[in-house]
Amino acid sequence: MSGMLNTKSNSLESLKNKTLLILTPSYANEDESFIAEMFVKHQIAEIKQYFKKIIVIAPVLRSFGYLKKDRLCKDYTYDNVEVYYPRCIYIPTFRMSRILIDNRLRGVERCIEDHRLNFDLIHAHFTWPSGYIGVRLKEKYGKPVITTIHENGNWFDQELEMNHALINTAWSGANALIRVNRKDIPVLQRHNTCVYTIPNGFSPAFHPLDTAVARERLGLPGGPKIIFTLGNLIKRKGFNYLIVAMQQVCDHRDDVFCFIGGAGPERERLQGQIDRLHLGERVKLLGSVPGDTLPLWMNACDIFVLPSLSESFGVVQIEALACGKPVVSARNRGSEEIITSDAYGLLVEPSNSGDLADKILVALNHEWDREVIVRYADRYTWENIAKEIIDVYVRSGAVSTTPA
């Protein structure tokens, strides 16, 4: 046992002289006027203490300033983290067993060459393109690569069904794979023998606040019951089923309000649905919720609802739990691994507004033990999750067992 502990200690010590390269499709810019894949930045906030330096490369589609991401994302540095946004040309679509246009690999290689970047270990987020790029960099530079697969259930299933050579290369060529849920581990083990389950975590910004104080700061009334939900306004998130459920909830109670945070292409359709059902006074679309007010919304609500049809994990659930709020979620592949007890929330059948309405009413009438919920959520702090990730670096052989 002593020898094992010494080996791990040596491995951790060796990281302090190493540079970690992070590959991700998106990364928040310096002032966070562009926010995407925030869980990557939050993960780095904990992991950076283990390394001498972290380099982040997040390719950006060149649009000559038309797209927000291209317009706002510029290279920057903070603490021991360097962030680069190489401009690339790509159409993120597979057709006829080939990629139409995608030069992100070359864009990343050019960024490494132009800035003379040196690194010892690669951690890629998402299979395409980051996982694939990571494997190609492994071949070129002789550096180990770990890939975390964040794809939601439907997206992941499509990758499996595609049986595409580039996807298979990304999975089989990695030194280790990390999946954010347990359910998909067996199928990934067909591609790689070194597969681990590590969920995402939540930021320290999410912690219990007095509900009345949170509501006052948001300008919300203190008396009514408040339901909050958050996500991109896309069909997969299932907000249309929540809106129908709210019609049934309002038939039973006249003190319930629902706030839907997020932006996206379905906004107009969802607003039209709200109007047709005459729910305009009870259901509100908030648009994008700024990161600094999101913890207030989590604390201001009575319950958090996630009607999503497919999730790989669902970070918003643990953010709500960290604030002591119960979650009502559809069984969507990821939620079943988080809401493991009716002490933390309730699960409903996906695409079933009736079941969702029933469980919302049950949750609103239930006396929840906030302390029990917060204690459960503690396992998902980024501090704890970061330790598991570092352990994978060590166990997969990606980190030397002797000090540098």
Side-chain angles (χ1 to χ4, degrees):
M1 178 64 72
S2 176
M4 292 176 61
L5 292 175
N6 287 336
T7 296
K8 184 172 182 180
S9 177
N10 289 341
S11 298
L12 294 177
E13 186 62 30
S14 73
L15 291 179
K16 296 184 182 300
N17 297 310
K18 295 185 181 297
T19 297
L20 172 66
L21 171 62
I22 299 286
L23 301 174
T24 176
S26 296
Y27 197 77
N29 67 350
E30 187 168 14
D31 64 1
E32 297 190 0
S33 55
F34 172 83
I35 297 177
E37 268 69 86
M38 281 301 292
F39 53 84
V40 178
K41 188 169 186 178
H42 292 155
Q43 184 179 115
I44 288 174
E46 287 295 332
I47 288 180
K48 65 185 175 66
Q49 64 183 298
Y50 293 92
F51 288 89
K52 177 182 178 181
K53 182 194 294 185
I54 289 184
I55 298 168
V56 179
I57 301 182
V60 174
L61 176 63
R62 185 182 297 280
S63 70
F64 302 99
Y66 177 76
L67 297 177
K68 182 179 180 180
K69 185 176 180 180
D70 185 27
R71 189 167 62 253
L72 298 178
C73 290
K74 303 181 187 306
D75 298 350
Y76 69 102
T77 300
Y78 66 99
D79 300 330
N80 62 333
V81 182
E82 298 176 3
V83 184
Y84 298 93
Y85 299 101
R87 266 41 180 188
C88 307
I89 302 297
Y90 59 91
I91 300 174
T93 306
F94 288 82
R95 288 290 185 270
M96 306 276 297
S97 297
R98 64 189 180 92
I99 305 297
L100 291 180
I101 300 174
D102 199 325
N103 75 338
R104 281 177 285 187
L105 169 58
R106 180 57 193 141
V108 170
E109 290 178 329
R110 188 171 57 248
C111 179
I112 292 171
E113 294 163 3
D114 290 348
H115 295 280
R116 299 180 181 181
L117 303 177
N118 296 305
F119 50 91
D120 304 287
L121 170 65
I122 306 163
H123 190 158
H125 291 273
F126 294 93
T127 300
W128 185 265
S130 303
Y132 175 76
I133 293 173
V135 170
R136 291 306 182 210
L137 295 183
K138 172 187 175 180
E139 296 171 350
K140 183 173 183 176
Y141 296 100
K143 306 300 182 182
V145 58
I146 311 296
T147 297
T148 297
I149 302 169
H150 298 278
E151 292 89 307
N152 69 67
N154 290 343
W155 183 2
F156 180 75
D157 288 343
Q158 290 172 12
E159 290 177 334
L160 288 173
E161 293 170 5
M162 195 182 304
N163 194 28
H164 198 289
L166 300 184
I167 298 295
N168 295 340
T169 295
W171 290 344
S172 63
N175 292 71
L177 300 176
I178 297 173
R179 181 60 170 151
V180 292
N181 62 44
R182 293 185 296 273
K183 185 175 182 178
D184 298 324
I185 295 301
V187 69
L188 285 171
Q189 287 174 331
R190 301 174 197 165
H191 298 267
N192 195 309
T193 58
C194 195
V195 185
Y196 302 89
T197 298
I198 301 178
N200 284 319
F202 67 86
S203 165
F206 295 93
H207 55 81
L209 297 173
D210 184 84
T211 299
V213 172
R215 291 190 180 189
E216 182 179 1
R217 291 176 63 180
L218 291 171
L220 299 173
K225 295 290 186 180
I226 290 180
I227 295 169
F228 179 57
T229 186
L230 179 75
N232 294 327
L233 302 187
I234 56 178
K235 290 182 179 179
R236 178 174 63 83
K237 292 298 183 178
F239 294 127
N240 55 313
Y241 299 105
L242 174 58
I243 293 169
V244 173
M246 276 301 298
Q247 185 180 41
Q248 299 176 51
V249 170
C250 292
D251 286 341
H252 288 81
R253 301 185 60 145
D254 60 3
D255 64 340
V256 182
F257 292 85
C258 177
F259 294 91
I260 301 174
E266 291 292 296
R267 182 185 177 99
E268 185 175 344
R269 189 176 70 87
L270 293 174
Q271 186 61 60
Q273 183 184 16
I274 292 169
D275 295 340
R276 287 193 304 274
L277 296 177
H278 306 290
L279 291 172
E281 295 299 315
R282 307 293 284 279
V283 181
K284 304 289 186 181
L285 300 180
L286 298 174
S288 296
V289 178
D292 58 346
T293 63
L294 185 52
L296 292 177
W297 279 102
M298 291 296 189
N299 278 283
C301 70
D302 292 281
I303 61 172
F304 183 86
V305 176
L306 185 67
S308 182
L309 309 182
S310 176
E311 292 287 343
S312 61
F313 181 71
V315 173
V316 288
Q317 297 173 106
I318 57 172
E319 291 173 342
L321 294 171
C323 296
K325 303 300 180 174
V327 173
V328 176
S329 177
R331 291 184 175 88
N332 53 36
R333 200 170 188 149
S335 294
E336 299 94 303
E337 297 190 9
I338 300 174
I339 310 305
T340 56
S341 165
D342 57 12
Y344 319 132
L346 303 171
L347 293 170
V348 307
E349 292 305 311
S351 311
N352 190 326
S353 296
D355 192 19
L356 182 57
D358 290 343
K359 295 294 173 45
I360 287 175
L361 289 168
V362 170
L364 290 174
N365 290 324
H366 185 69
E367 291 293 330
W368 298 92
D369 191 325
R370 196 173 186 183
E371 292 184 2
V372 167
I373 294 174
V374 172
R375 283 199 302 270
Y376 169 70
D378 186 62
R379 69 178 65 186
Y380 296 109
T381 64
W382 273 122
E383 180 182 3
N384 290 333
I385 299 303
K387 291 175 182 177
E388 294 186 43
I389 293 170
I390 295 298
D391 192 47
V392 168
Y393 294 166
V394 174
R395 285 192 287 163
S396 66
V399 177
S400 171
T401 57
T402 57

